Amino acid sequence: MYNHQLETFICVADAGSFNKAAEESYITPTAIIKQINLLEDSLGVKLFERTRRGLTLTKAGRSMYQDAKYIIQYCHDSVIRARNAMQEDSNVIRIGSSPMTPAQLLMELWSKVQTICPDIKFQIVPFENTPENAREILANLGTNIDVVGGIFDDTMLHLRKCAGLELVRGPFYCAVSIHHKLAAKDRLQITDLYGENLLLMHRGWSHYVDELRDDLWQHHPQVNIVDFEFYSMDIFNRCENTNDVLLAIPGWANVHPLLKVIPVDWDYGIPYGILHSPNPTPAVQRFLDAAKIASKELYG
């Protein structure tokens, strides 16, 4: 479904040399070089700078690297979606699951929904957290994925062109490296964040985050706010590697094994619930109605 020279290109970029890439691919360095040359010729761009110290990506190569990984993952996912479509059942609810939106967070809800609607079945559909996937999946809920559990507000729903059923208003926590001095605490005060870099999603992503941001700027200028663009594994890795503090939710406690998610004594939080199409199918609507009933039993 795609030019497999892209896989060779990614392998070379990750390895940093033709010889290492050849060892990992179990083919000769000559074959690797030939594939890269053919790819560069077909694209009309230079992907690598070749030096005595090894290979480095050009500006075009860096751009191609990100897109190639997305293309390959998208093609793999499309095959899974096609296979799922062959097994499609009108009573099957396809739940999107990723590290940031794990289906396990709502497992208690699923069991109660099945008590209410015993004919409903669930199918977990994994996906990777990338900006491209977020735009495509949420804007097309009901096509390959029916629902996703996650945090949201009206701003995000409008931006992503989807709808949301709020189940609970969850508090904001902070995530820190297990080696961070704050990791010794089981609960944080805002003053514990003085002098720290606090990673927040950029302004306009959520008014709940913006309310917290404005309060900190006005009343706690000792907290250094640092914006970032997207919740993905990259930002969790950054939090662990840089000793910055990341705004998080309790459900992300197991996303990264080297981070600790800690509650904070403040009154800020964000809705957590089910993201779905603005025009759900009858089966999805039945599921949402049952979820409302089940959530009252679970969350009050």
Side-chain angles (χ1 to χ4, degrees):
M1 293 179 65
Y2 57 89
N3 188 337
H4 288 277
Q5 291 167 356
L6 292 176
E7 291 180 330
T8 302
F9 163 63
I10 291 175
C11 182
V12 172
D14 290 339
S17 79
F18 293 125
N19 288 336
K20 289 182 181 179
E23 290 176 6
E24 294 176 5
S25 302
Y26 301 102
I27 59 177
T28 65
T30 301
I32 290 284
I33 294 171
K34 183 177 180 180
Q35 288 190 48
I36 295 301
N37 288 339
L38 287 172
L39 181 61
E40 289 182 325
D41 289 344
S42 66
L43 296 175
V45 297
K46 185 178 181 181
L47 299 173
F48 292 101
E49 294 288 352
R50 296 155 170 84
T51 68
R52 292 180 179 179
R53 295 183 179 180
L55 302 173
T56 58
L57 289 168
T58 63
K59 185 175 181 180
R62 290 193 298 271
S63 175
M64 178 59 66
Y65 180 82
Q66 296 299 326
D67 290 339
K69 293 186 73 174
Y70 171 71
I71 290 169
I72 292 171
Q73 184 61 48
Y74 185 84
C75 288
H76 288 324
D77 290 345
S78 69
V79 174
I80 294 174
R81 290 192 291 266
R83 289 171 178 166
N84 290 339
M86 290 179 62
Q87 303 171 356
E88 187 172 336
D89 187 312
S90 60
N91 291 326
V92 171
I93 305 299
R94 298 162 297 179
I95 306 168
S97 181
S98 74
M100 304 301 111
T101 59
Q104 288 81 357
L105 288 180
L106 297 175
M107 288 309 294
E108 291 184 28
L109 182 71
W110 307 146
S111 62
K112 288 189 175 294
V113 166
Q114 282 198 308
T115 300
I116 300 170
C117 299
D119 60 317
I120 285 182
K121 301 174 184 178
F122 298 107
Q123 184 179 81
I124 306 299
V125 181
F127 67 90
E128 183 182 359
N129 275 98
T130 65
E132 296 84 3
N133 276 355
R135 286 193 296 268
E136 181 170 342
I137 290 172
L138 295 182
N140 294 283
L141 285 171
T143 303
N144 299 306
I145 292 175
D146 294 311
V147 298
V148 175
I151 56 176
F152 61 87
D153 67 3
D154 291 341
T155 303
M156 192 271 263
L157 295 179
H158 177 74
L159 180 67
R160 299 303 184 196
K161 300 178 182 178
C162 60
L165 170 63
E166 181 177 341
L167 300 176
V168 64
R169 187 68 56 93
F172 281 131
Y173 281 24
C174 283
V176 297
S177 165
I178 58 174
H179 305 296
H180 196 289
K181 62 183 180 181
L182 294 180
K185 295 178 175 289
D186 292 322
R187 193 168 191 87
L188 300 178
Q189 307 295 321
I190 294 184
T191 52
D192 291 323
L193 302 178
Y194 286 6
E196 303 288 344
N197 290 333
L198 177 61
L199 302 174
L200 298 183
M201 275 286 280
H202 61 85
R203 181 176 291 280
W205 177 75
S206 166
H207 71 264
Y208 293 100
V209 177
D210 289 343
E211 285 178 355
L212 172 60
R213 178 198 310 275
D214 292 340
D215 179 52
L216 293 176
W217 274 355
Q218 184 174 0
H219 300 108
H220 305 278
Q222 301 91 333
V223 180
N224 182 33
I225 295 175
V226 179
D227 287 353
F228 67 94
E229 290 299 316
F230 187 75
Y231 271 112
S232 68
M233 192 56 69
D234 288 342
I235 197 64
F236 281 79
N237 287 331
R238 172 179 171 181
C239 177
E240 197 280 325
N241 292 331
T242 63
N243 257 356
D244 290 342
V245 180
L246 174 66
L247 189 69
I249 61 171
W252 293 343
N254 298 316
V255 169
H256 196 299
L258 298 181
L259 293 181
K260 181 179 180 181
V261 177
I262 311 172
V264 186
D265 280 330
W266 55 25
D267 295 325
Y268 291 97
I270 193 167
Y272 186 91
I274 301 171
L275 298 165
H276 61 89
S277 167
N279 301 298
T281 64
V284 172
Q285 187 59 61
R286 281 204 309 131
F287 162 72
L288 294 172
D289 293 339
K292 290 179 186 178
I293 298 171
S295 66
K296 290 181 180 179
E297 297 179 20
L298 283 173
Y299 310 118

